[in-house]
Amino acid sequence: VQESKLLIRDTESLEVLRKFKNEGVASKIIWSPDSKLIMCPQFKRGIVQVHSMSDKGWKCRISEGIAGISGAAWAPSGRHVLTTQDFQLR
């Protein structure tokens, strides 16, 4: 990840295969179990962006608003995103 760009490169030639633009710097990169989707949570911004390797026009943005997001993971199916919030409850 460079700033808000995510570059997917070929491991041998280092050729750029896909380029994605995020709204901000991703906290981490998480491939779906079938490697067709890439999740880019941005915990400080409270959003998760998901990009497709096969469909250039498809993208997903999840925002939890004021609740924020403290964690994100793929469901076993690879087609659902699970998010968690830390409400600091005692």
Side-chain angles (χ1 to χ4, degrees):
V1 177
Q2 298 175 344
E3 298 295 320
S4 61
K5 290 186 275 186
L6 170 63
L7 303 175
I8 307 300
R9 296 182 180 268
D10 181 274
T11 57
E12 292 183 15
S13 69
L14 298 180
E15 173 189 358
V16 175
L17 301 175
R18 294 295 307 271
K19 184 190 308 187
F20 301 105
K21 182 161 176 51
N22 287 321
E23 294 178 29
V25 177
S27 302
K28 59 183 173 175
I29 308 295
I30 310 168
W31 286 91
S32 65
D34 62 5
S35 298
K36 293 183 179 181
L37 301 170
I38 304 169
M39 181 188 338
C40 301
Q42 300 166 44
F43 299 128
K44 289 183 181 181
R45 296 177 62 116
I47 64 171
V48 174
Q49 289 182 265
V50 181
H51 305 286
S52 171
M53 286 297 292
S54 59
D55 184 350
K56 291 182 181 183
W58 187 91
K59 58 185 173 182
C60 170
R61 181 183 188 277
I62 301 167
S63 173
E64 292 297 338
I66 197 161
I69 296 174
S70 61
W74 287 105
S77 68
R79 292 294 169 263
H80 298 86
V81 174
L82 309 172
T83 62
T84 56
Q85 294 77 27
D86 184 6
F87 293 110
Q88 297 293 323
L89 298 177
R90 295 181 187 194

